[in-house]
Amino acid sequence: MMRGAASTGLLAVTVMMLVVLNQLESATANASLSSPSNKIYCNIYRGSWVYDKSYPLYDSKSCPFIERQFSCKLNGRPDSDYLNYRWQPTGCNIPRFNGLDFLERIMRGKRMMFVGDSLSLNQWQSLTCLLHNAAPNANFTMTRTPSGLSIFSFPAYNATIMFSRNAFLVDIVGAPPKRVIKLDSISSGSLWKTADVLVFNSWHWWLHTDRKQPWDAVEYGNITVRDMDRLVAYETAIRTWAKWIDQNIDPSKTKVFFQGVSPDHTHSSEWSKQGGKGSCIGEAKPVMGSIYLAGPHRAEMVVEKVIKTMKNPARLMDVTLMSQLRKDGHPSVYGFGGHKNPDCSHWCLAGVPDSWNQLLYSELFHS
């Protein structure tokens, strides 16, 4: 009897040790907590890409609702190494994306909303594919409203992941030739208040000119001009957004993120000392290491500066550097435009936005 009791006790101790070891392993893998008070800390947005045959996290062919513009494999891209890279922070590890855990522990009964341009669509599409891959037999609904709101839901988890197309965050009013972008006005915020997690993005459309420019005049306060320095206009709009968030969002109820500026790769001189007029076309491997020749992105620096002024700072998902290193990750000639209009702005799926969502998962894991 004593021997049996001893064996039982030994088994109990062994089980407890395994539990503790698992907890320690989880803590190590998630050593990216953003609180400076933690003894273990690293910046999960600084690191490098490593080749990993266990990636990608899903096959684009298994995502029945994937946007054709992001499905490079379906569009005939012949190489595949771009699918096999994993983001590795310097000094710590991050958890592999776990879709079931994301749905059960983070999203059950919650509403998440991506707000921004087509790069937000890219990230939203990535997340919906990741979650569908984790629960392929779970019922889901996908709807789009005339106002530009896309809604993806898992009824079993009462979880909703939305995308609201809003390229500038501030208002554009009127019709051509009298469209005015109002840098100090936000009227769409009532929709934002319905979400438990908000992920904002804005930049690429600020650079459009001529026929692609979606406004005819710029207004700020009592001043109206035909045009102005785009980076100045962008910073003014982001300050308006930051002020709106501080005045309207309760940080104890709603988590707010700003997806850092996603770079394009239209000029090879930005990553290659050989210079040249090349673009992302034909690029099959990332920039290895942690340094991008062109340095920090000017719009990302604006976002970082503005967020620091907020009363309740949004969490900056500083994905710019990690994305700068991925000159190989764009649709290139395997997107909508083909060889006539190569796409060096958006990202293939599976691909880089999956790692953005892995980092978002890590952020939410610790919040």
Side-chain angles (χ1 to χ4, degrees), residues 1-10:
M1 292 293 292
M2 290 294 291
R3 188 179 300 167
S7 298
T8 302
L10 181 60

Side-chain angles (χ1 to χ4, degrees), residues 122-137:
N122 222 169
Q123 186 176 4
W124 172 79
Q125 178 90 107
S126 161
L127 183 57
T128 56
C129 286
L130 284 165
L131 296 178
H132 173 72
N133 180 70
N137 297 319

Side-chain angles (χ1 to χ4, degrees), residues 298-346:
R298 55 182 186 158
E300 179 79 353
M301 295 169 70
V302 165
V303 172
E304 187 174 357
K305 178 174 67 174
V306 172
I307 285 179
K308 287 179 179 178
T309 69
M310 296 175 70
K311 180 176 64 178
N312 297 303
R315 178 64 176 162
L316 175 60
M317 290 186 60
D318 191 4
V319 300
T320 303
L321 174 62
M322 65 183 293
S323 305
Q324 284 177 322
L325 299 174
R326 290 304 304 272
K327 57 186 173 63
D328 61 316
H330 299 286
S332 178
V333 297
Y334 304 103
F336 269 163
H339 286 81
K340 290 184 178 179
N341 189 21
D343 184 353
C344 293
S345 296
H346 300 99

Side-chain angles (χ1 to χ4, degrees), residues 50-66:
V50 298
Y51 192 82
D52 188 333
K53 288 186 177 181
S54 72
Y55 278 64
L57 296 171
Y58 59 92
D59 187 335
S60 58
K61 291 182 179 179
S62 67
C63 188
F65 44 79
I66 192 168

Side-chain angles (χ1 to χ4, degrees), residues 5-27:
S7 298
T8 302
L10 181 60
L11 178 61
V13 170
T14 302
V15 170
M16 288 181 65
M17 288 180 67
L18 287 172
V19 170
V20 171
L21 285 171
N22 284 334
Q23 290 176 340
L24 287 172
E25 183 180 352
S26 178

